[in-house]
Amino acid sequence: MKTRVLPRSAVYALHILFWVCYGAILYASLSNWERSQTQIWITVISDVLTSSAIVYINFFWFLPKLYRKGKYTLYIVASVSLVVSLVFFRVNVLPLSHKSISYTYFIRSVPAIGFYLLTTVIWFFDNLISANRREIELRNSKLDSELKFLKLQLSPHFLFNTLNNIYSMAYFSDKNTAPAILKLSEMMRHMLYEDQGKFIPLSREIKFMENFIELWRLKLDEKPTIVFKHSGVQEGHQIAHLIFLVFLENAFKHGNTMNGTIHVNLDIKEGEVLHFHVRNDMIAGNKTIDEKSGVGLINVRKRLDLIYPEKHTLTLREEPALFTVDLTIHMR
């Protein structure tokens, strides 16, 4: 889809202004000749008309109707015929002759060939720019579709796990079932209604993480050490929606939630550089995080690559009894 920068009336006005200026320059260059004013005006008008004919016929007919459709031979024949016929018309029908007939043809051919080449170059550049614009629009459309697909995978994955947890609480008549459902409703509201675009306020994402952690606190019979800190967050900071969710899920699902420690820290330094750090104890002998996390970590890596290309670093370190996540995002 082409985006019109100027209204059609303004484009027409610019074209008229160009040809008026061209005619004025041509008139000024011919005014010193020892010719009548009538002959000079005929020369100027005929030059403007023939030159504009070459421009618009080539740009709006020959190039799109012949060249673009691969009719190269016909395009060359038509172009040469147009230039030659208009030059012949100017020399023989509306003459402003010189002593040498060859020089007369030469001086009439220069503007005709010049405008022909100029419009051809402009047409190619215009098509190149349009093609690049379409490619960017297609890439952005593909990017948005892929991000939405990844989000569709992420949300049911999270909801399935959380409902399983609440079901377990309800089955054993846990008194925290009702507060857990309330927390889940707040989180689902965030997931469904806050996602009106690619980015949301970082403060809302932090509130979502606080609800997520509190939901796990209510669910766990054991009381591991859970610490969540954040600093440097300002009102204007934006972040990709749910970009931290997989790391939180992994910390609680695959970490030591009986007597271990889970540390989550979010810090913004130097204005727009976000550091997100998760450290959780693990139970020795468990499968690796990559083996257990499945689609989660794969999706978050893809989302980071799509949303923050060359603007993020993600490091996952696994030790026998410890797993850490270090994520740095340049948000600007």
Side-chain angles (χ1 to χ4, degrees), residues 243 247 299-310 312 314 327 329:
I243 201 67
F247 305 123
N299 277 1
V300 77
R301 289 181 188 275
K302 287 183 178 179
R303 290 190 66 209
L304 286 168
D305 289 338
L306 290 169
I307 302 173
Y308 300 104
E310 300 181 0
H312 78 279
L314 174 62
L327 173 63
I329 297 176

Side-chain angles (χ1 to χ4, degrees), residues 132-144:
N132 288 338
R133 186 186 298 117
R134 287 192 297 270
E135 183 180 352
I136 292 172
E137 290 175 353
L138 181 62
R139 191 183 304 124
N140 289 339
S141 176
K142 183 179 179 181
L143 172 63
D144 289 339

Side-chain angles (χ1 to χ4, degrees), residues 250 254 287-295 297-298 301 316 318 323:
N250 285 337
H254 309 310
K287 291 182 179 180
T288 65
I289 294 294
D290 285 330
E291 289 174 339
K292 294 186 293 185
S293 298
V295 71
L297 286 177
I298 295 174
R301 289 181 188 275
L316 306 178
E318 184 171 2
F323 187 80

Side-chain angles (χ1 to χ4, degrees), residues 40-174:
I40 293 176
W41 274 112
I42 291 174
T43 302
V44 170
I45 293 173
S46 64
D47 196 312
V48 170
L49 290 177
T50 53
S51 297
S52 60
I54 289 174
V55 167
Y56 296 120
I57 292 175
N58 186 41
F59 193 89
F60 292 108
W61 189 19
F62 286 178
L63 286 166
K65 302 295 184 182
L66 301 178
Y67 184 88
R68 179 179 284 167
K69 295 182 179 180
K71 301 175 181 179
Y72 304 123
T73 302
L74 184 58
Y75 169 73
I76 293 173
V77 172
S79 299
V80 172
S81 300
L82 175 66
V83 173
V84 170
S85 61
L86 288 178
V87 170
F88 182 83
F89 173 79
R90 289 211 56 215
V91 171
N92 294 279
V93 179
L94 297 171
L96 181 60
S97 60
H98 298 267
K99 294 180 179 179
S100 170
I101 188 64
S102 60
Y103 181 74
T104 301
Y105 272 102
F106 171 77
I107 205 68
R108 297 294 169 264
S109 301
V110 169
I113 296 174
F115 277 114
Y116 168 79
L117 294 176
L118 179 63
T119 53
T120 302
V121 171
I122 292 174
W123 186 85
F124 274 103
F125 270 106
D126 179 66
N127 278 265
L128 180 62
I129 293 171
S130 298
N132 288 338
R133 186 186 298 117
R134 287 192 297 270
E135 183 180 352
I136 292 172
E137 290 175 353
L138 181 62
R139 191 183 304 124
N140 289 339
S141 176
K142 183 179 179 181
L143 172 63
D144 289 339
S145 298
E146 187 167 352
L147 286 173
K148 288 178 181 178
F149 175 73
L150 293 174
K151 292 287 292 296
L152 286 173
Q153 287 184 309
L154 178 63
S155 299
H157 182 261
F158 162 78
L159 181 60
F160 176 78
N161 292 327
T162 307
L163 287 176
N164 272 344
N165 293 338
I166 294 178
Y167 171 79
S168 299
M169 296 169 67
Y171 184 82
F172 292 104
S173 301
D174 193 316

